Amino acid sequence: MQANHEKVARLLKTARGQLDGILKMVEEDRYCIDISNQLLATQAVLRRANEEIIRAHLKGCVRKAMQSDASAADASIEELIAVFDKLAR
């Protein structure tokens, strides 16, 4: 993985902490909107981690594939299209 490991790890640990907090909120039968807001915040952190990984993939792996040969570049492009399709859902 070409991404900044420290940054991605920090974001994922933050999301994990938020999920633990959300689970506690559910167990304590807290107000639904408060839980929903925390879920949205966690999704935003995970989205940032994913953006960091995709950005690094484009700058590293995809660039390398494009410089090597057409079939490797095509495969990288298809992988990215599949990821973008998932993100669009």
Side-chain angles (χ1 to χ4, degrees):
M1 181 174 78
Q2 304 275 333
N4 181 328
H5 291 187
E6 290 177 19
K7 182 176 183 178
V8 172
R10 181 177 37 81
L11 289 166
L12 292 174
K13 288 176 183 178
T14 298
R16 180 176 56 194
Q18 288 176 317
L19 285 172
D20 288 341
I22 293 167
L23 183 57
K24 185 176 178 183
M25 291 173 77
V26 169
E27 291 168 349
E28 294 173 352
D29 199 27
R30 299 272 298 274
Y31 187 56
C32 299
I33 298 301
D34 292 343
I35 294 169
S36 181
N37 284 329
Q38 290 304 309
L39 285 166
L40 291 170
T42 303
Q43 288 172 340
V45 171
L46 290 171
R47 189 171 30 257
R48 287 198 324 259
N50 197 31
E51 287 169 0
E52 177 66 27
I53 290 170
I54 291 171
R55 183 176 290 111
H57 182 67
L58 284 166
K59 289 180 178 180
C61 302
V62 173
R63 178 181 288 155
K64 184 177 177 182
M66 296 208 144
Q67 292 171 344
S68 65
D69 64 72
S71 64
D74 289 343
S76 289
I77 290 168
E78 289 302 318
E79 287 177 335
L80 285 170
I81 290 170
V83 169
F84 292 144
D85 285 343
K86 290 176 187 175
L87 287 170
R89 293 182 198 158

